[in-house]
Amino acid sequence: DRLLSVTIPNSVTSIGGRAFFNCNNLSSVTIPNSVTSIGVQTFTYCRALLSVTIPNSVTSIGNYAFEQCNALVSVTIPNRVTSIGTQVFDNCNALQSVTIPDSVTSIGENAFRYCYALQSVSIPDSVTSIGRSAFYRCEGLVSVTIGNGVTSIEESTFGHCINLPSVTIGDSVTSIGYSAFHGCFALQSATIGDSVTSIGYDAFRSCYVLQSVTIGDSVTHIDDGAFEWCYALQSVYIPSNIITIGSAAFVSSVTLTFSSAL
């Protein structure tokens, strides 16, 4: 608990798991260009750590590496890192900005969960998978760009991002999972790409001000509660390929009308 700052010498090539675990007062760390890997839980519970520069030499960052770094404000991920693992920045609730490079192909589950101060995120086209709850309760998030490489939006990925006003889901996405945007109270519009075939349970449930939603022609299944309690939703186009619409999928406003190519 007495460790306030640390400078890692150039002789170090890797920082092992839990190396600085629970160093509550550590506010400054300098990582040299010799380091290529940061281990599992390396800086977990370093609650005073304000910022960290991860050098471009780093190719891997272990799961939970910066979990519960509550004072961390910004982070740039090097352009040699290929994956952001499980809960790497979970509960970094002061984190305002993050830069994800084109080298990253996957974002793990809970990776940025409870990053309340995160305002915007741009997911590059190189990313093909985003784990469940990856951005769950990023309550300050007002802008999100989902790259054209993402193939599915998993369970609760953007659930309770309460200030997110709009979202465009590109043509590479084929499925929207359970509660993917559940509780996005400020969401006014959503565009669902033409490759999406299924919209999961409660996917947009309780998006109270959702006024406009465009459902692509490839959608065949809209599951239970998908748009339940979307009070402001007034009209929905049902694509011609639809096979099933689940129970309470559109329980919302009495003014809701449907149109269809059927």
Side-chain angles (χ1 to χ4, degrees):
D1 285 349
R2 295 182 180 180
L3 187 64
L4 301 179
S5 66
V6 62
T7 299
I8 299 169
N10 289 326
S11 56
V12 174
T13 58
S14 66
I15 306 173
R18 297 170 66 93
F20 298 96
F21 182 87
N22 206 24
C23 289
N24 277 315
N25 291 313
L26 180 65
S27 61
S28 173
V29 60
T30 302
I31 303 173
N33 286 322
S34 56
V35 171
T36 59
S37 65
I38 297 172
V40 173
Q41 291 188 318
T42 297
F43 295 99
T44 298
Y45 296 120
C46 291
R47 301 183 190 276
L49 189 62
L50 292 171
S51 65
V52 61
T53 299
I54 304 172
N56 286 330
S57 56
V58 171
T59 59
S60 67
I61 302 173
N63 295 340
Y64 316 99
F66 295 93
E67 183 182 16
Q68 295 275 2
C69 289
N70 303 130
L72 191 64
V73 173
S74 66
V75 64
T76 298
I77 297 168
N79 57 18
R80 296 179 65 191
V81 171
T82 58
S83 67
I84 300 172
T86 300
Q87 293 180 222
V88 171
F89 298 100
D90 184 28
N91 253 299
C92 291
N93 44 44
L95 186 65
Q96 296 178 13
S97 65
V98 60
T99 302
I100 302 173
D102 290 339
S103 58
V104 172
T105 60
S106 65
I107 298 173
E109 62 182 58
N110 304 329
F112 295 94
R113 183 178 60 171
Y114 302 127
C115 290
Y116 299 128
L118 190 63
Q119 297 176 15
S120 67
V121 64
S122 180
I123 299 168
D125 291 345
S126 57
V127 173
T128 58
S129 66
I130 306 174
R132 64 179 184 175
S133 300
F135 296 93
Y136 180 77
R137 296 204 72 151
C138 289
E139 296 180 356
L141 196 63
V142 295
S143 173
V144 61
T145 302
I146 301 172
N148 289 324
V150 175
T151 57
S152 65
I153 298 176
E154 303 292 341
E155 174 186 335
S156 299
T157 299
F158 295 98
H160 289 274
C161 291
I162 60 175
N163 285 299
L164 185 66
S166 65
V167 64
T168 299
I169 299 167
D171 288 339
S172 59
V173 174
T174 59
S175 64
I176 301 173
Y178 169 76
S179 293
F181 295 93
H182 179 197
C184 290
F185 302 140
L187 192 66
Q188 296 182 35
S189 65
T191 300
I192 298 170
D194 286 335
S195 296
V196 172
T197 59
S198 64
I199 301 173
Y201 294 96
D202 295 344
F204 292 90
R205 189 176 188 267
S206 299
C207 292
Y208 298 136
V209 299
L210 183 64
Q211 298 176 8
S212 170
V213 61
T214 301
I215 300 176
D217 285 332
S218 297
V219 171
T220 57
H221 300 278
I222 300 174
D223 287 332
D224 296 356
F227 295 93
E228 187 174 13
W229 311 130
C230 294
Y231 296 117
L233 193 60
Q234 296 185 6
S235 64
V236 174
Y237 169 79
I238 303 296
S240 58
N241 293 323
I242 200 74
I243 295 172
T244 60
I245 298 177
S247 174
F250 293 97
V251 173
S252 54
S253 170
V254 294
T255 62
L256 181 63
T257 60
F258 296 93
S259 62
S260 174
L262 294 175

